[in-house]
Amino acid sequence: PLPGKVVCVCVCVCVCVCVCVLNKHKPWIETSYHGVITENMDIVLLDPPLVALDKDAPVPYAGEICAFKIHGLEAPFEAVVLNGTSGEGQLRARGPVDCELQKEYTFIIQAHDCGAGPGGTGGKKSHKAVVHIQVNDVNEFSPVFREAQYQAAVTEGKIYDNILQVEATDQDCSPQYSQICNYQITTSNTPFAIDRNGNIRNTEKLSFDKQQQYEVLVTAFDCGQKRSTESVAVHIDVKPVCKPGWQGWNKRVDYEPGTGSKQLFPKMHLETCGGPLSSVRTMVELQTSHIGKGCDRETYSEKSLQKLCGASSGSTDLLPAPSVSTNWTASLVTDSGRDSDLIFRFDGRQAAKIPDQMVPQNLTDQFTIATWMKHGPTPGLRAEKETLLCNSDKTEMNRHHYSLYVHNCRLVFLLRRDFTQVDTFRPAEFHWKLEQICDKEWHYYVINVEFPVVTLYVDGVTYDPYLVTDDWPIHPSQIDVQLTLGACWQGGEVTMSRFTQYFRGSLSGLTIRPGKIESQKVISCLQACKEGLDINSLESLGKGIKFHFNPAQSILVMEGEDLENMNAALRKVSYINSRQFPTPGIRHLHISTSVQCFGEDTCISIPDIDAVVMVLQPSEPRITIAGVDRLTRPAADLRGPAGLTLFQDLHIISTVTKGDTEEIIHNLDYCDILVLGEELRPEQEGLQLQRMTIETCPPSLLGVDSMSNYEQVIRQVHYHNWHPTQTPDRKFRLTCSELNGRYTSNEFTLEISVLHKSEAGEHVNHMVAPPQYMQVVHHPAMVHSLYPTHGSGVPSAATVVIVICIAALVVVVVLGIYRIHLTHQQEGRSSDTTKEGELDWNDSALNITVNPMESQGQREKWDIVKQSRIHKGHSNQLQSLSHTCCLSVPHAELPGAPGS
């Protein structure tokens, strides 16, 4: 063979043998590894260490380790060979490892040797080993509370083991750093504590009155003592011990006059603390006993109220305001006030005799006695009779003809007839037993007598007597009788006549009306309250709600079975005051409630509540009298048949300010016309009202009516002066009032000047006259003649001529005055005759009441009532004014009034 071929064969064999011999063994590694890596680090600490062994060592390549390969689903690790000869390797993370994302990894690893040579051909790999890697946590997260804030409520007076629990979490993955090991309250001086589980408890009993809400801050710590970055707020409300009762009501309710009705309890509801109720009964009481005579009523005089209510005329007021003509009440103790506000107090020592001329003499089988009375229980074991009104013998005997008295909280009316009227056994004493008689509150009592039937009205409610005692008529005698108030006159006493059976209480407006009885409608009107309770929208009350008002609407009772319907009904209760100018001040409210439960012996108790209604001060009206305040007229106008009209251009207006000033309409109840300075001289001057001469003094117009009707009457007042040259200039002052002097007008003064030889003039009071009524009449010629220029010089040569002219003028004037005087006397006589014929005039505009103390000769269709009047602020100017005339102006008979 060729040498080349032999060589080739030898090489081939040699190579084959060489491979088989040099890499005979696989690398060897452990069957499993456990590693630990700290998150955010890259070196894995394996146990045992990563080392691969190869039995081919120290043969190069075959005994060396070239690589470690990992088999797994995206395991974020890699294995690197640190020393191929020794087989040491290292497991590393290819990127950041986050324990919160994955705590453990498991994968397969194999070791690879370097093969038979540098190319790595013929390399061998070890068996597969399981690697378990655990990621060690780092305390990188702080605890965070699950809620942004916590809310809880506790009842006062209790110690709680657990009020509420707060809870925080930690995002770290390991138990050491993810678990919360402690909570802490950071708010100091708080009566609360917290345990390691976040349970909050109170360390002392809480009080609702002391503090109604607490706020505490709580922080958390994990087991690595890492603190939460933010504390959490815990709100703990302290609730009072559940007490059944009304909630959601205000202790004060302000009432603006003129706003109609106002809800008292718009948000009120009844708290029952979960107790089931079968029915609820609530009483709302408006307490106004301290206002006037028990509530807010119109404060007109008793006579004015009778006219407004349409009462029959002819009543006699036995308790009028003290004056010259009504002086029997001067010794009685009174409260301050005017007329209807005038209250007489009797303490068991005061009494008054009614003058004989004031006593109604014509009591028939029909008459009415009415009075306001406030009376309480009589002190002492044996109560005596307390006489309001008594008509008894003046002398010799002690017989009671009729009387009204209180005995043991019973009202008794005694009426004994004379034998001249009846001669049989007839009813004589009528008894009523009522709670109102001794409740120390004001009530209006009216006794209607239609003999033998006697009916009592108390606050408009009818009561029949529970006992009627018969008696024989009184024997006729010539003994005079005495009518008394506050006690009964004992004229038949042996030693000395005296009063007995004194009254203890308060009276007002005691009247007797003979011949007629009042209707229930009029009685209700006379005592009607202008304020009371009301219900808004009655038709919207829930089903099953029953309600009842007392006659004065000061007490409201509601009953119902459904609690929600009762709550809704109480929210509709309101206060109303219909007066245009109500009395300001407090009205007390008292609410009492009783409930019934389902078949239980004991039921919850609802406490009473008290509130007030504050009636605010009303906007006061300003009554303004305007017109011409100066009249300058020739003497002939004052002597003429018609005289001088004083207030022809008079206007009365009333305004009130509520933001803007606006005119309002309301009534007047009197106007006074006063003479300032010297008293009128009846022999030469006087006032006339529609041709009727007022001989004594200026009048006072009385009676409730509109301002326009008062204007018409006042414009009819005329002034006459038959000797104007002997009388100084006159001034008249006019004032008007509303509600018995509560609101008074300005003092309008009219000045009258008499001219003898010049034109008449007039002057308008611009300060009070409204623009549409202003007028000014100027008389320059008159002013020039009366007030010549003082600075003009007179030539000395003309002095003698002027003196002669003046002397001649004086002679002519004296002769003229004498002739005028003679002519006036003749006219005066004829005028007197004319006046007598002119007294039959149309009196439909006014009706004048007659004072029974005046003589019959003074009574005409217009009767003048003389009485003393005191005008505040003008006592010095009125010293010479001995009397004032009062013209009573009934409401229905003024011009323009209904029925005129």
Side-chain angles (χ1 to χ4, degrees):
L2 293 174
K5 293 180 179 179
V6 174
V7 173
C8 290
V9 171
C10 291
V11 170
C12 291
V13 172
C14 179
V15 170
C16 292
V17 172
C18 180
V19 172
C20 293
V21 173
L22 292 179
N23 196 7
K24 297 187 298 182
H25 301 94
K26 299 177 181 179
W28 178 89
I29 57 177
E30 299 287 345
T31 57
S32 64
Y33 293 90
H34 294 276
V36 175
I37 184 173
T38 301
E39 62 178 343
N40 300 325
M41 303 294 288
D42 58 351
I43 303 300
V44 179
L45 300 179
L46 289 177
D47 182 26
L50 182 61
V51 176
L53 300 176
D54 196 324
K55 292 183 178 181
D56 292 325
V59 178
Y61 300 104
E64 297 177 354
I65 302 301
C66 284
F68 292 96
K69 292 186 179 180
I70 294 175
H71 305 280
L73 296 175
E74 298 181 357
F77 297 97
E78 62 180 2
V80 296
V81 178
L82 298 179
N83 190 329
T85 302
S86 62
E88 296 180 20
Q90 189 179 58
L91 192 62
R92 298 177 180 176
R94 291 200 304 264
V97 179
D98 192 346
C99 177
E100 286 73 36
L101 295 179
Q102 189 169 342
K103 297 180 181 180
E104 295 180 348
Y105 295 90
T106 301
F107 51 87
I108 303 299
I109 191 171
Q110 284 181 309
H112 292 257
D113 60 14
C114 296
T121 59
K124 294 182 181 294
K125 55 185 177 180
S126 68
H127 60 273
K128 295 179 179 180
V130 178
V131 180
H132 297 280
I133 304 297
Q134 179 180 347
V135 182
N136 281 348
D137 188 21
V138 176
N139 196 2
E140 57 183 333
F141 292 100
S142 299
V144 177
F145 287 94
R146 291 186 180 274
E147 304 291 340
Q149 65 177 5
Y150 290 86
Q151 189 82 26
V154 296
T155 302
E156 63 175 346
K158 295 178 62 177
I159 295 293
Y160 289 82
D161 294 332
N162 182 17
I163 297 176
L164 80 160
Q165 182 181 25
V166 297
E167 184 179 2
T169 59
D170 196 313
Q171 295 182 10
D172 291 315
C173 64
S174 64
Q176 180 181 4
Y177 300 137
S178 64
Q179 291 182 359
I180 307 301
C181 286
N182 193 21
Y183 292 92
Q184 182 179 342
I185 294 177
T186 60
T187 304
S188 59
N189 299 325
T190 181
F192 299 96
I194 190 169
D195 61 15
R196 299 183 62 180
N197 296 321
N199 296 311
I200 297 177
R201 60 183 176 86
N202 59 316
T203 58
E204 62 184 49
K205 294 181 179 180
L206 306 178
S207 172
F208 177 81
D209 295 332
K210 181 179 178 181
Q211 189 168 344
Q212 299 178 10
Q213 187 184 65
Y214 291 87
E215 182 183 79
V216 295
L217 299 178
V218 177
T219 190
F221 296 88
D222 61 21
C223 294
Q225 293 302 305
K226 193 176 186 66
R227 180 175 177 170
S228 59
T229 56
E230 294 183 358
S231 299
V232 69
V234 179
H235 298 278
I236 300 176
D237 296 325
V238 180
K239 292 185 177 182
V241 176
C242 186
K243 299 176 182 178
W246 292 103
Q247 297 183 2
W249 54 277
N250 295 323
K251 291 186 177 180
R252 168 172 166 163
V253 180
D254 288 340
Y255 180 79
E256 181 72 28
T259 56
S261 62
K262 182 172 183 177
Q263 284 180 275
L264 297 174
F265 318 108
K267 298 180 180 180
M268 190 167 73
H269 66 278
L270 183 61
E271 174 63 57
T272 62
C273 296
L277 305 179
S278 61
S279 66
V280 180
R281 183 180 186 272
T282 299
M283 181 173 69
V284 183
E285 182 179 2
L286 179 68
Q287 299 173 347
T288 58
S289 58
H290 62 292
I291 303 294
K293 300 189 192 74
C295 69
D296 208 1
R297 295 181 171 91
E298 295 294 0
T299 54
Y300 294 113
S301 66
E302 196 68 31
K303 289 185 178 180
S304 298
L305 284 176
Q306 290 174 2
K307 294 172 186 176
L308 288 174
C309 293
S312 304
S313 59
S315 66
T316 301
D317 189 359
L318 300 180
L319 279 176
S323 66
V324 174
S325 59
T326 58
N327 57 3
W328 67 87
T329 59
S331 62
L332 301 179
V333 179
T334 62
D335 282 345
S336 60
R338 289 177 58 102
D339 296 335
S340 67
D341 290 331
L342 190 60
I343 295 171
F344 293 86
R345 291 185 177 180
F346 298 84
D347 61 359
R349 293 176 294 180
Q350 293 91 13
K353 294 181 180 180
I354 309 298
D356 293 340
Q357 63 269 24
M358 294 297 298
V359 177
Q361 301 296 331
N362 55 344
L363 287 182
T364 61
D365 287 345
Q366 284 190 344
F367 61 92
T368 298
I369 299 177
T371 185
W372 287 95
M373 182 178 73
K374 181 179 180 181
H375 182 263
T378 305
L381 297 178
R382 293 188 60 188
E384 297 182 355
K385 294 180 179 179
E386 299 179 57
T387 302
L388 286 74
L389 181 69
C390 181
N391 186 269
S392 60
D393 291 329
K394 184 177 292 187
T395 59
E396 300 182 24
M397 303 181 71
N398 294 326
R399 297 176 303 173
H400 295 183
H401 297 259
Y402 63 87
S403 66
L404 180 64
Y405 61 90
V406 175
H407 187 215
N408 288 328
C409 292
R410 292 169 174 82
L411 186 66
V412 182
F413 177 63
L414 170 68
L415 179 62
R416 297 189 66 189
R417 297 304 204 172
D418 293 339
F419 261 110
T420 57
Q421 297 171 315
V422 292
D423 58 357
T424 59
F425 207 55
R426 300 291 295 273
E429 275 191 345
F430 304 84
H431 300 250
W432 294 270
K433 184 178 181 180
L434 305 173
E435 294 181 356
Q436 295 92 321
I437 297 172
C438 287
D439 64 358
K440 296 183 180 180
E441 302 290 345
W442 280 106
H443 299 284
Y444 188 57
Y445 298 83
V446 178
I447 296 178
N448 272 350
V449 178
E450 285 184 292
F451 198 81
V453 178
V454 178
T455 305
L456 172 67
Y457 293 85
V458 181
D459 298 331
V461 180
T462 307
Y463 296 93
D464 293 325
Y466 81 94
L467 176 64
V468 178
T469 304
D470 294 342
D471 201 349
W472 290 102
I474 293 178
H475 294 281
S477 67
Q478 300 300 319
I479 303 175
D480 293 332
V481 293
Q482 177 65 63
L483 183 61
T484 57
L485 294 171
C488 202
W489 181 251
Q490 297 289 83
E493 293 294 328
V494 177
T495 56
M496 184 177 59
S497 300
R498 63 184 179 88
F499 284 111
T500 186
Q501 301 175 4
Y502 285 96
F503 177 71
R504 294 176 178 85
S506 298
L507 298 176
S508 181
L510 178 56
T511 60
I512 294 182
R513 179 175 289 104
K516 295 182 180 179
I517 62 172
E518 290 296 0
S519 65
Q520 187 168 5
K521 179 180 180 181
V522 172
I523 294 172
S524 299
C525 176
L526 290 172
Q527 61 86 38
C529 288
K530 295 298 182 179
E531 63 180 341
L533 299 173
D534 194 16
I535 298 179
N536 290 336
S537 183
L538 285 173
E539 61 276 2
S540 64
L541 285 180
K543 294 182 179 180
I545 300 297
K546 301 177 183 179
F547 67 92
H548 172 71
F549 284 100
N550 69 334
Q553 284 195 220
S554 60
I555 297 177
L556 169 63
V557 178
M558 282 187 168
E559 296 183 65
E561 297 179 356
D562 184 80
L563 181 59
E564 290 304 319
N565 286 343
M566 278 295 294
N567 288 335
L570 262 295
R571 296 188 192 110
K572 297 179 183 295
V573 177
S574 60
Y575 169 82
I576 187 171
N577 194 316
S578 60
R579 289 193 65 190
Q580 192 173 17
F581 308 109
T583 303
I586 289 177
R587 276 73 164 162
H588 293 276
L589 285 169
H590 183 77
I591 298 93
S592 58
T593 305
S594 60
V595 298
Q596 292 183 353
C597 300
F598 291 100
E600 296 184 5
D601 295 336
T602 61
C603 195
I604 60 175
S605 176
I606 308 298
D608 296 351
I609 62 175
D610 292 287
V612 295
V613 177
M614 176 61 72
V615 179
L616 303 179
Q617 182 74 35
S619 298
E620 297 187 357
R622 181 182 178 184
I623 305 172
T624 304
I625 303 176
V628 176
D629 62 357
R630 178 180 296 175
L631 295 176
T632 304
R633 292 291 187 267
D637 289 358
L638 276 66
R639 290 193 300 264
L644 176 63
T645 303
L646 294 182
F647 306 103
Q648 186 173 4
D649 297 322
L650 178 76
H651 295 282
I652 305 175
I653 62 173
S654 180
T655 57
V656 67
T657 301
K658 291 184 179 179
D660 298 331
T661 300
E662 59 181 10
E663 185 172 345
I664 61 174
I665 299 175
H666 59 92
N667 293 331
L668 298 177
D669 53 13
Y670 79 84
C671 286
D672 284 346
I673 304 174
L674 301 178
V675 178
L676 301 183
E678 185 181 352
E679 186 179 354
L680 292 179
R681 303 173 182 176
E683 69 278 2
Q684 66 182 39
E685 60 182 336
L687 293 177
Q688 290 185 352
L689 187 58
Q690 286 195 355
R691 299 183 182 180
M692 189 204 83
T693 301
I694 304 173
E695 298 180 352
T696 56
C697 57
S700 292
L701 306 180
L702 303 177
V704 180
D705 212 304
S706 65
M707 293 183 178
S708 59
N709 287 347
Y710 262 89
E711 285 180 355
Q712 294 183 40
V713 174
I714 296 173
R715 289 171 185 170
Q716 298 173 15
V717 177
H718 296 262
Y719 172 64
H720 287 263
N721 194 324
W722 294 277
H723 301 284
T725 57
Q726 302 176 13
T727 306
D729 292 346
R730 283 295 183 192
K731 288 185 179 180
F732 297 92
R733 175 169 293 168
L734 174 65
T735 58
C736 295
S737 172
E738 160 71 317
L739 295 176
N740 265 334
R742 181 177 175 185
Y743 304 117
T744 306
S745 71
N746 61 305
E747 295 180 343
F748 178 77
T749 302
L750 173 64
E751 183 177 352
I752 299 176
S753 299
V754 181
L755 289 181
H756 300 286
K757 290 187 178 180
S758 59
E759 295 293 331
E762 60 186 18
H763 178 266
V764 178
N765 186 340
H766 297 277
M767 296 301 294
V768 295
Q772 61 266 37
Y773 302 134
M774 289 185 180
Q775 64 177 20
V776 181
V777 181
H778 297 281
H779 302 280
M782 177 192 70
V783 173
H784 178 73
S785 64
L786 290 177
Y787 306 100
T789 304
H790 294 284
S792 60
V794 180
S796 59
T799 302
V800 177
V801 177
I802 293 175
V803 171
I804 294 173
C805 293
I806 290 175
L809 180 59
V810 169
V811 173
V812 172
V813 170
V814 170
L815 293 176
I817 291 175
Y818 179 72
R819 289 182 58 85
I820 291 173
H821 178 67
L822 294 177
T823 303
H824 176 69
Q825 288 181 338
Q826 296 175 357
E827 291 177 352
R829 289 190 292 268
S830 62
S831 176
D832 292 339
T833 306
T834 303
K835 291 174 190 174
E836 293 177 359
E838 289 176 348
L839 283 177
D840 188 14
W841 53 288
N842 182 10
D843 62 348
S844 61
L846 292 172
N847 181 29
I848 311 305
T849 60
V850 179
N851 187 339
M853 296 188 69
E854 297 290 344
S855 62
Q856 288 293 90
Q858 292 176 311
R859 300 179 182 176
E860 299 288 346
K861 288 187 178 180
W862 290 71
D863 296 284
I864 303 165
V865 181
K866 300 179 182 179
Q867 67 177 14
S868 173
R869 298 183 60 89
I870 300 175
H871 298 270
K872 298 179 180 179
H874 305 287
S875 59
N876 294 334
Q877 298 179 359
L878 302 179
Q879 292 297 329
S880 61
L881 184 61
S882 60
H883 297 86
T884 299
C885 310
C886 298
L887 304 183
S888 179
V889 185
H891 172 73
E893 299 182 10
L894 278 168
S900 63

